[in-house]
Amino acid sequence: QSPSHTGAITEAFRVSDGAVRSAHPTHAMGLWGEGAEEIAAGHANTCGLDAESPYHLAAQRPGAGSLLIGVDSRRNSLVHVCEAILGLPYVDEAYWNDRRYSYDVIHLDSRVEKRENKRAPGCAKCFDRVDRELERAGRLRRVSFGAAPSLLLRPDDIMEAVQALIATRADAILCDEAQCGFCPGARRSRRKHGMV
């Protein structure tokens, strides 16, 4: 029942008739329509943006798309899902500021459960490189949503763009900022596994 922390559109969606919210404590997803409850089920027991998370399962539905309203792929959670599906080693080994964090999950029966975050979505500062790759491949669709310039992307195209970037350079979607709390650790992980 807690409100969305990602804006008015997601909050309006959350409270709309028929909307279903997954029970993940840090990366809940709102769904609506056929199969929504099935897709949301089990999210509490997975990593938030992992393979087999609702983000991945919804993206696999026929005709699925990713509509980025007024933003680019630096706000596209599917890129993190691609990192997990591709098995990039830093997904399991890098953490913000080199430390895992834990949080309390408060269940409906008021029971409090302490959990450790096994995977933390990394830095997204350079995920706009995915958009440039999609544009280069002729697969970036610019649309309008109301007055907001938006991007409509196919999940399969996003995966192909991430794969193309990673094939060229393993750290292609990591940022170059020395002060970043995530990317230097991700690069160490990459080097440890011999990825160039």
Side-chain angles (χ1 to χ4, degrees):
Q1 300 300 315
S2 58
S4 170
H5 293 282
T6 55
I9 293 172
T10 56
E11 178 60 7
F13 185 85
R14 181 187 76 82
V15 299
S16 66
D17 287 341
V20 175
R21 187 184 200 178
S22 72
H24 196 275
T26 61
H27 290 83
M29 180 179 184
L31 300 121
W32 182 85
E34 184 181 338
E37 294 207 17
E38 176 188 341
I39 291 171
H43 197 199
N45 300 314
T46 69
C47 294
L49 299 174
D50 207 352
E52 303 309 314
S53 71
Y55 294 89
H56 181 212
L57 297 176
Q60 292 180 309
R61 303 286 287 201
S66 180
L67 177 63
L68 305 176
I69 303 169
V71 295
D72 59 28
S73 283
R74 288 174 287 187
R75 298 290 181 263
N76 188 350
S77 297
L78 278 180
V79 180
H80 288 303
V81 175
C82 291
E83 290 175 307
I85 291 169
L86 291 171
L88 298 176
Y90 61 78
V91 171
D92 287 316
E93 297 176 359
Y95 297 90
W96 284 97
N97 301 313
D98 291 323
R99 68 179 185 85
R100 288 186 180 196
Y101 65 90
S102 60
Y103 52 88
D104 290 334
V105 176
I106 303 170
H107 293 270
L108 292 175
D109 62 5
S110 299
R111 181 174 41 96
V112 178
E113 176 189 357
K114 183 71 101 182
R115 286 197 189 167
E116 186 176 74
N117 197 29
K118 294 178 182 165
R119 285 185 173 174
C123 174
K125 288 178 193 156
C126 289
F127 283 5
D128 56 334
R129 293 174 183 167
V130 174
D131 297 334
R132 290 197 293 275
E133 177 62 24
L134 288 165
E135 192 153 41
R136 186 199 63 72
R139 294 186 173 166
L140 183 76
R141 186 170 166 204
R142 296 181 190 280
V143 297
S144 292
F145 186 83
S150 304
L151 302 177
L152 181 59
L153 311 173
R154 290 182 59 244
D156 289 346
D157 291 340
I158 295 168
M159 174 62 91
E160 287 177 22
V162 173
Q163 285 177 306
L165 289 164
I166 298 299
T168 303
R169 201 179 96 212
D171 64 351
I173 58 175
L174 299 176
C175 84
D176 301 317
E177 294 180 17
Q179 312 310 326
C180 178
F182 184 85
C183 291
R187 283 195 169 81
R188 286 192 300 275
S189 171
R190 176 186 59 82
R191 285 192 297 271
K192 182 174 93 174
H193 291 273
M195 297 177 73
V196 293

